[in-house]
Amino acid sequence: MPLDIPEVVIDRLPVYYRLLARLQREGTTVISSQELGDHLGVTPAQIRKDLSYFGRFGKQGRGYSVERLIEELRLILGLDRSWRMVLVGVGQLGRAIASYRGFAPAGFELVAAYDAHPDTVRIEDGPVVRPIGQLPTDLRAEPVDIGIVAVPANEAQDVIDTLVAGGVQAILNYAPRTVQVPANVHVRRIDPVVALQSMTYHLSRERPRR
Amino acid sequence: MPLDIPEVVIDRLPVYYRLLARLQREGTTVISSQELGDHLGVTPAQIRKDLSYFGRFGKQGRGYSVERLIEELRLILGLDRSWRMVLVGVGQLGRAIASYRGFAPAGFELVAAYDAHPDTVRIEDGPVVRPIGQLPTDLRAEPVDIGIVAVPANEAQDVIDTLVAGGVQAILNYAPRTVQVPANVHVRRIDPVVALQSMTYHLSRERPRR
């Protein structure tokens, strides 16, 4: 499998996966790149190019097997295994993240949580909150795959440096700040403003300027 | 301006905007579709196609003016005005959203918040929490542009129906559930699992299966 796949192609794969899972529930068994493109607003050529990075899924003119594509995407995305996560920052946002019900069914397990003031916060039905100073030692003893960062913006870089030093290679960053990581570490930022801005496009068209 | 622009093209525009703003801060004044494509992992043809929906920004072989593209994207995305938002659901997640510092600088104003138990919750430095039963009346009296939904999954559809009945045409859905809306209403879902899944792709490649 080639290693030079553009990041944004990879970002699209979970979206393909969610769409295909829905189409399969609705009874679709075969789909063309044209139909996939229509669903996602991408050119059929882009769809074919995205999927071609991972091998030959479809036959010219015959479309993709939805079941086979789902299976391949599960393997490609590593959705056939479970992943250990730690949460850093157990404020309002951190507690909200810890209580999100969607992680476990998708194979993401929250194994520990850390805060600068562990005695003053707790997670309902979740791990005991540990002091943040314990994070480096814990990461050496119990390696984790993913760090979720929900600390204030000005603390995010320090926390991420600690996670990276402890071998964590994937960061889900909720702090409203762009952060620096080495090339072998992956970061995704949860940014509600980007989501809002794609909707204001429509609102601008549809309602008069006040 | 054409109205049949694919949703996913529109979803990419805020990402273009954020990238261009960063490039401008770093001193870039002109950029080619090839370079934009390299930054975003999209084919240059897809970039040109995306931007062609909105008119002629670039000249063949001369690249795009970063400043002009930013200006046009601001207008296209409606970032030159302010938007009124209400929040429904002031639990842990709702309070975390309300305290997000990124909304106001981007022109998104939280004008009201609602909860089923308004007496038991409050938003620090934010609007007083109103009873959810008051939402329909309030929407008639004070129209809003955007509804942020942070209620439990099983309440999301009802809340969204109420918002839509009150004229709200853009919904930011934090509830882990796909919801139904009329064709003229826009929904974006904040889903950390999709972000995680694009990172497990890399982790699967880089570390042994345990």
Side-chain angles (χ1 to χ4, degrees):
Chain A
M1 194 166 289
L3 284 174
D4 56 342
I5 300 164
E7 203 56 32
V8 174
V9 174
I10 293 153
D11 285 355
R12 284 192 285 268
L13 298 184
V15 180
Y16 289 147
Y17 180 78
R18 198 161 70 177
L19 170 65
L20 288 162
R22 176 165 72 75
L23 292 171
Q24 189 179 46
R25 282 196 304 274
E26 294 169 5
T28 307
T29 57
V30 175
I31 193 155
S32 67
S33 53
Q34 177 74 55
E35 290 167 309
L36 274 175
D38 288 347
H39 275 288
L40 295 170
V42 173
T43 59
Q46 182 80 51
I47 299 269
R48 284 192 298 270
K49 183 165 184 210
D50 281 4
L51 298 179
S52 74
Y53 282 110
F54 307 99
R56 293 179 60 80
F57 287 126
K59 284 224 175 66
Q60 187 69 37
R62 288 181 47 194
Y64 299 97
S65 154
V66 171
E67 186 182 357
R68 172 128 186 265
L69 211 42
I70 286 174
E71 258 322 291
E72 294 286 342
L73 284 170
R74 272 179 61 79
L75 291 174
I76 287 167
L77 292 171
L79 308 185
D80 56 326
R81 48 202 281 202
S82 75
W83 298 98
R84 293 163 53 84
M85 306 193 299
V86 293
L87 168 69
V88 186
V90 189
Q92 224 154 44
L93 176 61
R95 290 194 297 275
I97 295 164
S99 69
Y100 181 65
R101 297 274 167 261
F103 290 130
F108 297 98
E109 186 199 0
L110 187 65
V111 295
Y114 297 84
D115 197 272
H117 306 284
D119 300 332
T120 65
V121 290
R122 58 182 297 275
I123 297 171
E124 239 173 283
D125 299 324
V128 173
V129 181
R130 306 176 190 180
I132 195 157
Q134 205 177 310
L135 181 58
T137 320
D138 285 2
L139 289 174
R140 275 195 297 275
E142 324 160 64
V144 302
D145 304 300
I146 297 162
I148 303 183
V149 175
V151 297
N154 61 343
E155 296 169 24
Q157 186 66 58
D158 279 355
V159 162
I160 288 171
D161 290 346
T162 303
L163 288 165
V164 169
V168 177
Q169 285 189 288
I171 307 283
L172 189 62
N173 180 26
Y174 279 84
R177 168 151 310 180
T178 306
V179 292
Q180 306 299 317
V181 294
N184 66 325
V185 176
H186 310 281
V187 181
R188 294 293 177 280
R189 186 164 146 200
I190 298 286
D191 187 346
V193 165
V194 162
L196 289 173
Q197 288 175 339
S198 69
M199 294 195 289
T200 53
Y201 163 81
H202 295 288
L203 299 183
S204 299
R205 310 267 97 53
E206 289 155 13
R207 52 183 61 188
R209 195 168 287 260
R210 277 194 287 260
Chain B
M1 196 167 293
L3 284 174
D4 57 344
I5 299 165
E7 201 57 33
V8 173
V9 175
I10 293 154
D11 285 355
R12 283 193 284 266
L13 298 184
V15 180
Y16 289 146
Y17 181 77
R18 200 163 65 175
L19 170 65
L20 287 161
R22 177 166 70 76
L23 291 171
Q24 190 178 45
R25 281 195 305 274
E26 294 170 3
T28 307
T29 57
V30 175
I31 193 159
S32 67
S33 53
Q34 178 72 55
E35 290 166 309
L36 274 174
D38 289 347
H39 275 289
L40 295 169
V42 172
T43 59
Q46 182 80 50
I47 298 269
R48 285 192 298 269
K49 186 168 181 205
D50 282 4
L51 297 178
S52 74
Y53 283 110
F54 307 98
R56 294 180 59 80
F57 286 127
K59 284 224 173 70
Q60 188 70 35
R62 287 180 46 193
Y64 299 99
S65 154
V66 171
E67 184 180 358
R68 176 133 180 260
L69 210 42
I70 286 173
E71 256 324 289
E72 294 288 341
L73 284 170
R74 274 179 60 82
L75 292 173
I76 286 167
L77 292 172
L79 307 185
D80 56 326
R81 49 202 280 201
S82 74
W83 300 97
R84 294 163 53 84
M85 308 193 298
V86 293
L87 168 68
V88 187
V90 189
Q92 225 154 44
L93 177 61
R95 290 194 296 277
I97 295 164
S99 68
Y100 182 66
R101 298 274 166 260
F103 291 131
F108 298 98
E109 186 197 359
L110 187 64
V111 296
Y114 298 86
D115 196 272
H117 307 285
D119 299 333
T120 64
V121 289
R122 60 181 296 275
I123 296 171
E124 237 173 285
D125 298 325
V128 172
V129 182
R130 306 177 190 181
I132 194 158
Q134 204 178 311
L135 182 57
T137 321
D138 286 0
L139 289 174
R140 276 195 296 276
E142 322 160 67
V144 302
D145 303 299
I146 296 162
I148 302 183
V149 176
V151 298
N154 61 344
E155 297 169 24
Q157 185 66 58
D158 279 356
V159 162
I160 287 171
D161 290 347
T162 303
L163 287 165
V164 169
V168 177
Q169 285 189 289
I171 307 283
L172 190 62
N173 180 26
Y174 279 85
R177 168 153 307 182
T178 306
V179 292
Q180 306 298 319
V181 294
N184 66 326
V185 177
H186 310 282
V187 181
R188 292 293 177 281
R189 186 165 146 200
I190 298 286
D191 187 345
V193 165
V194 162
L196 288 175
Q197 288 175 338
S198 68
M199 293 195 290
T200 54
Y201 163 81
H202 294 288
L203 299 183
S204 299
R205 308 267 97 52
E206 289 156 13
R207 53 182 63 188
R209 193 168 290 259
R210 276 193 289 259

